Every structure is written in C-alpha cells, then in structure tokens.
Amino acid sequence: MSLPELSNEEIARYSRHLILDEVGLEGQRRLKAGSVLCVGTGGLGSPLLLYLAAAGVGRIGIVDFDVVDTSNLQRQVIHGTSRVGVSKVRSAKERILDINPFVQVEVYEEPLTSENALRIFADYDVIVDGTDNFPTRYLVNDACVILGKPNVYGSIFKFEGQATVFNYQGGPNYRDLYPEPPPPGLVPSCAEGGVLGVLPGVIGTIQATETVKILLGRGTTLSGRLLLYDALYMRFRELKLRRDPAAKPITELIDYEFFCGVAAPEPVARKAYENLTVEELRDRLAKGWSPYVLDVRKPFEAEIVRLAFADRLHPHEAVAEIAPELPRDRDIVVHCKAGGRSAKACEELAALGFTRLYNVEGGITAWAQRVDQTLPTY
C-alpha cells in the first residue's frame, strides 16, 4: 500500500509520535492513510473522536441522528453548551476540524439500519461501536463480520465499563459474548440508571488506543479479552473470550429491533392500557378528570422533580407489591421519566387484572418540556 506523505505542518504537529520507535514516520503515515467509522457521538464517541483526530487518523466517519441535549454535556465532551439543539454529527465535525484541520470528516446523519450498514461500513478500515442499545450493537457486529472489519467495542453503565476488540484476526465477535440479547427492559439504559460522567472518558480512550494500535499494526489488542472496569473501586480485571465453534455463521443482516424484542408484536400491550400524550393528560385534568396517578421512578428521581398531583411513588420493577393497595374502581395514570418504565408497569398491572390504565408518553420529561416549563429536566 502506498502511504501518503506528511507535510511540514503535519511533521511538526505529530512530532511526539514521530520520535516513538513504535510509530515513527511510517507509522504516522499509516495513521494518515487509515480510516475509522465511529457509530455514535455520545459518551464513548466523544473522547474517541477527539483522540483519533489529534492522533492524525486521516479519515473519520461519524454515524448519528440525534441532536445535542443539555443532559448530554455531563459526559459528551466533544459537544459544548453553544451546540445544544444542533445535530451531534455536525457538532462533532466542527470540533474535530478545530482540533486537526488535516483530518477528513464524513458525517452520516441518519439512523444505522440493516439497509445502510454495509454500504456505510464498506470504505472504512476499523469500525468503533459507541452505541448504547442492543439492536445497534448486534447490527454493528454482524455487519463487521460480513465485511471482515474489526469492531472496537465499549459499553458503560453507572460506574462500570467494558471494552474489547471483536472480529479481529480470527478472534471472537459480539455474538460469542452475547449469543442472545437480554429480555427487553432487563438492562436499564443510562438515561434510566445513570452514568458517572468521567466513565466514558476512560472506556472511550481505551477504544481509541485499540483503534490506533490496529491501524499501526503494533502491540497486542484486546481481541479475545474482555476488559472490565469498576470506577467506583478503581479496579480493572479481564475475562477470556473465545469463539464459539458451534455458532451459526453470520451471512445476512436481520431485523434487529425484532431480534432484541424492541419491536415485538404489540396487540396485548396496546389493549392492556391506553397511551396519553402530556397534552391529552393536561386537557383531561383541566376538564375535571381525577385519576389515581402513580409515579414509578426511583425515590432519588422524585427528589429532582415530581408532579404535584402524583398520588404515589413506587419503582416500576416492584409495582406488583403495591397492587392490592391500588384502586380498581378509578382510572390509573402511570408515569416515569420518559415513558418506558411506566409502560412496563402498566403491562404488569394489566396482567394482574387492572383495566383502567393510562401510560404517559414521554413521562415527566415531556411534561416539563411541553406543559410546565418551570420544572427541571434531568
């Protein structure tokens, strides 16, 4: 492979790399010739993209379709306060080019799907998974396996993180670690469970390190090893990963929402309860509707913000405990932060025979944004 030359400006910029025996001039030219696609520009993608750009990776692609929200700024350090409301990929591109104008940045402002993944991944040397949901993780993995691309993986939750390299030099892939996805709702998202703001900085930087080593062809990667990090007790440990010889070959992309149970058939759930927008709830209350209002968030969340007209607070995973105490002769409105946990609570109450159930779409966050702007969001 013919490697690109470095300009005098680039030689000055990367001088600390050039004097490393393991990198040198040829290694820096390899980085310049390299291409990396980052799926996601959130907590993991932020430090990853910053360091890949600073390191001189020649072409960086970014896939994301979200916009910057104030709640992102606690950990997504590639974005700033002035970028709230702006497309994440465009915010990230602007920051990357400010760090290193010699980097080529390509943005894909669209959801990653089974229809576009192979097309987007095809022209990149390394794929980095900075996502936070199981359908996209399986999609990234399978597309990498089909195309023969290394998949630099990381995940975070609360105070704990994981990192490894999948599908590299005959090593295991994500399905060797997780052959099947967990049941929907079993693993809370960071929006529900929280995450220490500095945690993705550690895991994202590890992902960046592995990516640079792959491009350089130097060192030993995490392929075959799952690195576990506990920030609360400052501990690292490793688990060995092996390929499953009995695993079915991955030959095509599938419907990953359905595979992970996110898009499972809904008829039972839809009949079990009615969804209400916050505007519909507001209007019905104004007309004299008097439902029993159940908040299924955690107590610490209610300390941040709560609806004054809520009758009771009880976590959604234990809602069956209080079922005997809930009224069966009144409408019951259930809400959480964003509508997911309250929907699960409605399903559980419906299974216990409750019939007058209403789930608040968007939860208290939507209420604070669209009905009562005096309330904080989190």
Side-chain angles (χ1 to χ4, degrees), residues 159-175:
F159 292 88
E160 298 179 351
Q162 301 179 351
T164 189
V165 175
F166 290 124
N167 200 49
Y168 183 57
Q169 296 182 338
N173 67 69
Y174 185 71
R175 288 180 181 267

Side-chain angles (χ1 to χ4, degrees), residues 62-67 86-90 106-111 120:
I62 318 169
V63 187
D64 207 320
F65 65 99
D66 202 1
V67 298
V86 174
S87 155
K88 283 188 176 180
V89 292
R90 301 193 181 281
E106 298 174 354
V107 299
Y108 304 88
E109 195 172 348
E110 56 189 296
I120 294 174

Side-chain angles (χ1 to χ4, degrees), residues 313-349:
L313 172 72
H314 200 81
H316 82 285
E317 65 268 22
V319 72
E321 296 175 353
I322 62 168
E325 304 167 29
L326 299 178
R328 292 179 181 266
D329 58 348
R330 288 176 65 185
D331 295 330
I332 299 178
V333 169
V334 188
H335 86 83
C336 62
K337 178 184 177 182
R341 287 174 285 173
S342 53
K344 294 182 179 70
C346 283
E347 292 171 3
E348 186 159 355
L349 290 174

Side-chain angles (χ1 to χ4, degrees), residues 22-74:
E22 295 83 357
V23 181
L25 186 61
E26 181 180 341
Q28 192 62 51
R29 292 169 65 194
R30 286 184 178 276
L31 292 178
K32 184 174 180 177
S35 58
V36 177
L37 179 74
C38 179
V39 183
T41 51
L44 294 172
S46 289
L48 170 89
L49 291 166
L50 293 173
Y51 276 107
L52 292 185
V57 173
R59 186 164 63 94
I60 297 174
I62 318 169
V63 187
D64 207 320
F65 65 99
D66 202 1
V67 298
V68 181
D69 182 79
T70 302
S71 65
N72 301 149
L73 303 180
Q74 163 253 15

Side-chain angles (χ1 to χ4, degrees), residues 283-317:
D283 295 345
R284 290 194 188 190
L285 292 174
K287 293 177 181 178
W289 189 37
S290 182
Y292 186 91
V293 180
L294 175 62
D295 181 347
V296 293
R297 297 175 300 150
K298 302 285 188 182
F300 70 84
E301 294 178 90
E303 292 178 5
I304 300 170
V305 58
R306 66 183 304 163
L307 297 177
F309 51 85
D311 292 288
R312 185 159 189 172
L313 172 72
H314 200 81
H316 82 285
E317 65 268 22

